[in-house]
Amino acid sequence: MPDLWEKSTSDPIPAYWYGLPHGYLPLDLDPPVDQLMALVKRVLGLPEEHRDQAERVLRFYAGVVTTLNSHDVQGCAIGLHPDDEGSFASSVLTFSTVAAPGVNAALALADMAVTAAREPGKDVQPLELPCGTGFFTAETRCAVAPGRPSDEDGSLPEDPVWQGTVAVTGPGTPDIVVVQLVTPALELADEYRDVLLGVAHTVSFVDPSPADGAGRTASGAVADSTHSPFG
């Protein structure tokens, strides 16, 4: 699996690059154990009136990381944006790849699009992105709420979410890149659709950063605004 988060002389070259929009913070999917233990101690040391909320956030983080690692997600960013009610809308943006060994990745992508189009309730649209051919699909579904305790019957609580997915491949690329955005803010689905498509337009199979590596953040996402529609 390519390492998208670090780049040094000993690290493999990333298979693809992307830009992150404003309001999204890269999430560490492999946090050091000592840092986790220090965070737990800090939470337990908080005053009682703040501890419960901090514990819920910590459980949410642990739940998200566990879920993403189980699906071999290579990159993740958490988004928080003000909504019309004076609160914040949250979303999760993820990046992963689907290997297509021994076959043409474009044909595998077309097969994925046909399969998705057959599923009821899914909106599937072809895309021509700067990096290559792809497709967009969206649906509203129920998803397990990370970090929340199970119900009395032992089942895991679920919430309705909007899920948008872009799959794309490029010339000479053996893998299919999958960019996915999930949010419980169903009323903002159109806005998040635009965010997802904007991110998809930044995906590149050629390193867009300067040759000396300037313009690259620690997360491996493209930081130079000239390569991103988000400014």
Side-chain angles (χ1 to χ4, degrees), residues 153-196:
D153 60 359
S155 61
L156 295 174
E158 295 184 342
D159 290 327
V161 297
W162 179 86
Q163 176 179 294
T165 303
V166 169
V168 63
T169 190
T173 302
D175 295 331
I176 297 168
V177 174
V178 178
V179 186
Q180 191 170 81
L181 191 151
V182 178
T183 178
L186 304 184
E187 71 281 3
L188 298 177
D190 289 343
E191 286 81 354
Y192 278 113
R193 176 183 183 275
D194 292 340
V195 170
L196 174 61

Side-chain angles (χ1 to χ4, degrees), residues 5 21 46 64 89 144 147 158 173 185 192 211 215:
W5 298 106
L46 290 173
V64 168
V144 173
E158 295 184 342
T173 302
Y192 278 113

Side-chain angles (χ1 to χ4, degrees), residues 96-175:
S96 58
T97 56
V98 176
V103 299
N104 186 296
L107 294 178
L109 182 74
D111 183 67
M112 289 174 60
V114 171
T115 301
R118 291 173 178 169
E119 298 182 22
K122 273 195 175 183
D123 172 28
V124 180
Q125 302 173 15
L127 290 177
E128 284 297 333
L129 299 170
C131 65
T133 301
F135 71 88
F136 163 82
T137 180
E139 64 177 327
T140 299
R141 65 181 185 86
C142 286
V144 173
R148 280 170 48 184
S150 58
D151 295 331
E152 292 182 359
D153 60 359
S155 61
L156 295 174
E158 295 184 342
D159 290 327
V161 297
W162 179 86
Q163 176 179 294
T165 303
V166 169
V168 63
T169 190
T173 302
D175 295 331

Side-chain angles (χ1 to χ4, degrees), residues 4-134:
L4 302 181
W5 298 106
E6 300 289 343
K7 184 177 181 182
S8 68
T9 55
S10 60
D11 289 329
I13 298 174
Y16 59 95
W17 291 260
Y18 53 85
L20 292 179
H22 295 304
Y24 281 85
L25 179 67
L27 185 67
D28 188 353
L29 297 179
D30 188 23
V33 175
D34 56 342
Q35 290 187 16
L36 282 178
M37 295 306 298
L39 182 58
V40 170
K41 290 181 179 179
R42 290 184 62 182
V43 169
L44 294 177
L46 290 173
E48 187 174 350
E49 61 269 22
H50 301 301
R51 190 184 309 148
D52 183 60
Q53 183 177 5
E55 287 180 354
R56 288 200 301 269
V57 173
L58 182 59
R59 285 196 297 268
F60 175 80
Y61 171 67
V64 168
V65 170
T66 300
T67 300
L68 296 180
N69 282 330
S70 68
H71 289 84
D72 294 326
V73 169
Q74 298 160 337
C76 174
I78 303 296
L80 285 177
H81 299 88
D83 59 21
D84 295 335
E85 299 179 356
S87 184
F88 287 90
S90 62
S91 59
V92 178
L93 186 64
T94 59
F95 301 84
S96 58
T97 56
V98 176
V103 299
N104 186 296
L107 294 178
L109 182 74
D111 183 67
M112 289 174 60
V114 171
T115 301
R118 291 173 178 169
E119 298 182 22
K122 273 195 175 183
D123 172 28
V124 180
Q125 302 173 15
L127 290 177
E128 284 297 333
L129 299 170
C131 65
T133 301

